[in-house]
Amino acid sequence: MQSNQKVTTSINMNALHQQLIDAVDIGIHVIDQNGDTVIYNKKMMEIESMGSDDVLDKNLLDVFKFSDNQSSTLVEAMTTGKTTKNAKQTYFNNKGKEITTINNSFPIIENGEITGAVEIAKDVTQLEHVIKENVLNKQNSNFTFDKIIGSSTPVQVVIDEAKRATRTSSSVMIAGETGTGKELFAQSIHNGSKRSSAPFISQNCAAIPDNLMESLLFGTKKGAFTGAVDRSGLFEQADGGTLLLDEINSLDPALQAKLLRVIQEKSIRRIGDIKDKKVNVRIITTINEDPVDAIADGQLRKDLFYRLSVVSLFVPPLRERKEDIDILTQHFIDKYNAIFEMDIKGINSQVKKLLRQHDWPGNVRELEHTIEAAMNLILDEDTITVNSLPAKLRKKYQQESDMAVQDLLNLNGSTSENQSLKDKMTAAEKLYIQQALAEHNHNVSHTAKILGISRQSLQYRMRKFGV
Ligand SMILES: Nc1ncnc2c1ncn2[C@@H]1O[C@H](COP(=O)(O)OP(=O)(O)OP(=O)(O)O)[C@@H](O)[C@H]1O
Ligand SMILES: [Mg+2]
């Protein structure tokens, strides 16, 4: 008996381990150095339709057969020490029955040596889980073109192009950086088309592991693999309507090939089924980089790209249409006034300038978050000032105003060395007073309070500096 076990225990530890291993709801298969099975639990027997006598103490490769291009991740873990996570494996048991599992395999390492390997096979409950979450995640798709804010020419051009695409059912590819409004365009196209009363289903291709994506898209037939039930995929669910595939460049290339076939044949086949089913689905895809780059990087199949981009839209980044910032800002202020039951009137000129200077890598979404954050930080004012902006933007503004002080001190070619300290202090004081006034809408009392001086004192300085 091992020293760390209580001597007084009346439990037979071996029997307990065995019982525990058999009680869990995941398949466990352990092999030793020779590849012989040493642990094979009840759930694994269920998953693989095998008895313990068929497998225990036998060499794994004598019992199970793998296709030529597949190897056992369990054997791989034992021979190379490789850990595999969430791998979909298809192999055959000793009666030739095809088995598909999703499993994790890892080596057992003792004193730096691989002494065996463990495989933990999940029933496809994981798939159920993903599908359930996915259903919960589906937001309503009620965006229409009139809710896309932006009067700049670049946006109006895309809106016009997208509106024309509502008349047909051709595939649309929407390219654009994150937060530019690609989803809004996709929803607006659907809602403006004849399909508007049919489903709009949206799926992010980057959010789901490759091995589950296929089941999710095309559905499964009962018995296709362990735990598989008869279930429709997204294509069937979107029948008659629109399927939005977000971040198409994240879709596994093998699945991209299958997708291409579905588009060409206008029919799908559930995994494990032998029959094809006609589907009538309009496909809209989004991509957050230039499709040409995605093709060059091998992330997007060229043949699929041609199929998907019959209509091709490019939503410009916010920094290329800064003239839209003002109406977007007001739009979000109105939106959050309603949600927060506030009555914010707008932004001051300083903030306006700052919003124009910023590059907006997160585009409209970033602007929306900035306004929402400012409305959380605002005190009892009715106008958003620099003080209510998120720290990141405020700091940037601070740096810029520091630079402005530098510029001021170096004014008219006079180098700072030529200026007396008094001149420098006066120049700096003037600048700070100008900025403070601008930040507080030129409200003298309010600005004086912020600066910690009396109203009279501020007015005196304003006259002195000609502000
Ligand atoms: N033109 C616009 N008018 C009004 N709101 C907009 C506009 N563009 C974007 N938004 C807002 O920004 C948010 C982000 O937009 P959307 O989800 O469409 O971006 P996306 O391009 O799909 O980004 P990602 O690539 O990150 O998915 C939206 O929820 C919406 O509130
Ligand atoms: Mg999106």
Side-chain angles (χ1 to χ4, degrees):
M1 188 174 282
Q2 278 172 16
S3 58
N4 61 352
Q5 281 178 12
K6 278 193 198 154
V7 196
T8 51
T9 185
S10 56
I11 301 173
N12 175 334
M13 292 309 281
N14 265 340
L16 176 65
H17 286 159
Q18 192 55 51
Q19 225 173 319
L20 284 176
I21 286 169
D22 279 338
V24 293
D25 199 36
I26 47 171
I28 302 176
H29 191 162
V30 181
I31 55 172
D32 66 13
Q33 247 162 340
N34 307 317
D36 294 342
T37 297
V38 289
I39 296 177
Y40 190 67
N41 79 341
K42 263 216 171 83
K43 184 72 191 182
M44 203 68 171
M45 292 180 216
E46 226 175 80
I47 293 175
E48 297 183 327
S49 314
M50 300 282 267
S52 70
D53 287 346
D54 298 328
V55 185
L56 262 184
D57 298 321
K58 301 218 163 86
N59 193 284
L60 179 124
L61 295 177
D62 289 340
V63 180
F64 296 98
K65 295 278 171 285
F66 291 82
S67 319
D68 292 342
N69 57 353
Q70 277 231 4
S71 58
S72 154
T73 54
L74 186 54
V75 173
E76 235 184 311
M78 197 262 298
T79 51
T80 69
K82 187 179 162 199
T83 294
T84 315
K85 286 214 163 120
N86 288 330
K88 186 171 149 194
Q89 258 195 130
T90 302
Y91 49 98
F92 303 88
N93 72 7
N94 64 349
K95 295 167 200 102
K97 181 176 188 279
E98 188 178 301
I99 305 156
T100 302
T101 59
I102 290 165
N103 52 45
N104 293 344
S105 309
F106 53 90
I108 307 169
I109 299 174
E110 281 172 47
N111 301 325
E113 247 194 82
I114 301 174
T115 55
V118 182
E119 179 164 280
I120 294 185
K122 269 171 256 173
D123 215 340
V124 195
T125 27
Q126 194 195 359
L127 175 63
E128 310 267 333
H129 191 72
V130 168
I131 287 169
K132 273 199 199 104
E133 261 184 10
N134 216 56
V135 170
L136 290 178
N137 279 343
K138 292 247 146 52
Q139 328 114 314
N140 36 357
S141 55
N142 45 18
F143 251 95
T144 45
F145 286 114
D146 56 309
K147 292 190 205 144
I148 298 180
I149 310 295
S151 54
S152 65
T153 315
V155 161
Q156 286 302 326
V157 167
V158 193
I159 293 179
D160 275 352
E161 288 171 351
K163 276 184 179 165
R164 273 176 260 155
T166 58
R167 300 171 301 182
T168 70
S169 57
S170 305
S171 300
V172 182
M173 180 176 279
I174 309 173
E177 291 177 13
T178 180
T180 46
K182 298 185 292 296
E183 170 95 28
L184 308 192
F185 275 92
Q187 289 186 14
S188 303
I189 292 171
H190 170 79
N191 290 328
S193 75
K194 286 198 201 94
R195 297 172 176 259
S196 61
S197 54
F200 174 88
I201 294 198
S202 131
Q203 177 59 52
N204 188 313
C205 300
I208 307 284
D210 292 344
N211 51 17
L212 298 183
M213 194 63 189
E214 190 177 352
S215 315
L216 196 59
L217 283 177
F218 307 123
T220 52
K221 187 170 162 53
K222 191 172 178 193
F225 47 85
T226 315
V229 294
D230 279 324
R231 190 198 313 276
S232 62
L234 298 180
F235 269 92
E236 283 179 72
Q237 290 164 31
D239 202 10
T242 306
L243 177 60
L244 170 62
L245 296 174
D246 247 326
E247 298 190 52
I248 188 70
N249 46 329
S250 301
L251 191 68
D252 178 44
L255 267 180
Q256 289 190 20
K258 287 191 181 159
L259 180 61
L260 179 64
R261 221 166 33 240
V262 167
I263 297 171
Q264 281 166 341
E265 286 161 19
K266 297 190 168 57
S267 64
I268 56 105
R269 182 181 290 190
R270 291 187 186 185
I271 296 173
D273 205 346
I274 47 164
K275 290 193 306 279
D276 288 346
K277 198 172 169 184
K278 282 271 167 228
V279 283
N280 167 12
V281 175
R282 176 179 215 175
I283 298 180
I284 302 184
T285 49
T286 74
I287 183 162
N288 49 22
E289 62 173 312
D290 189 331
V292 175
D293 291 341
I295 293 169
D297 294 349
Q299 289 176 354
L300 181 62
R301 288 180 61 117
K302 209 175 188 171
D303 45 8
L304 181 66
F305 166 72
Y306 288 127
R307 280 282 169 173
L308 292 179
S309 60
V310 178
V311 177
S312 155
L313 302 176
F314 174 74
V315 189
L318 187 54
R319 66 180 170 282
E320 286 175 15
R321 46 174 165 123
K322 288 194 168 175
E323 59 270 43
D324 284 338
I325 291 178
D326 291 351
I327 46 170
L328 279 166
T329 302
Q330 197 54 50
H331 168 74
F332 293 129
I333 290 175
D334 296 342
K335 173 173 170 181
Y336 288 99
N337 268 337
I339 296 173
F340 299 156
E341 295 181 16
M342 288 169 84
D343 193 18
I344 304 299
K345 302 278 185 281
I347 56 175
N348 73 5
S349 56
Q350 213 72 36
V351 172
K352 188 170 165 171
K353 199 171 132 205
L354 185 72
L355 298 186
R356 288 282 183 127
Q357 278 167 351
H358 188 53
D359 260 348
W360 302 107
N363 295 294
V364 183
R365 183 186 288 117
E366 184 186 356
L367 177 62
E368 175 169 1
H369 288 168
T370 302
I371 300 301
E372 185 185 351
M375 287 174 68
N376 275 277
L377 288 173
I378 201 163
L379 296 169
D380 53 356
E381 304 129 304
D382 62 3
T383 306
I384 296 174
T385 67
V386 173
N387 293 325
S388 337
L389 290 181
K392 206 178 81 199
L393 269 179
R394 208 168 49 218
K395 275 198 199 111
K396 200 172 152 169
Y397 164 78
Q398 208 64 52
Q399 276 166 6
E400 260 149 29
S401 61
D402 287 350
M403 271 155 59
V405 173
Q406 277 300 324
D407 288 349
L408 194 85
L409 296 182
N410 295 324
L411 218 59
N412 301 326
S414 62
T415 65
S416 21
E417 283 117 64
N418 297 341
Q419 279 186 316
S420 70
L421 176 65
K422 190 158 171 281
D423 289 343
K424 286 185 195 174
M425 294 301 286
T426 309
E429 190 182 354
K430 179 181 174 184
L431 186 77
Y432 277 122
I433 285 175
Q434 277 176 328
Q435 283 181 348
L437 281 165
E439 260 179 52
H440 298 94
N441 292 322
H442 299 274
N443 179 327
V444 177
S445 312
H446 196 76
T447 309
K449 212 159 126 193
I450 298 286
L451 292 173
I453 55 177
S454 70
R455 210 172 73 93
Q456 289 80 0
S457 168
L458 178 58
Q459 275 169 333
Y460 162 75
R461 284 176 168 77
M462 285 165 70
R463 273 198 302 275
K464 183 172 110 184
F465 300 133
V467 174

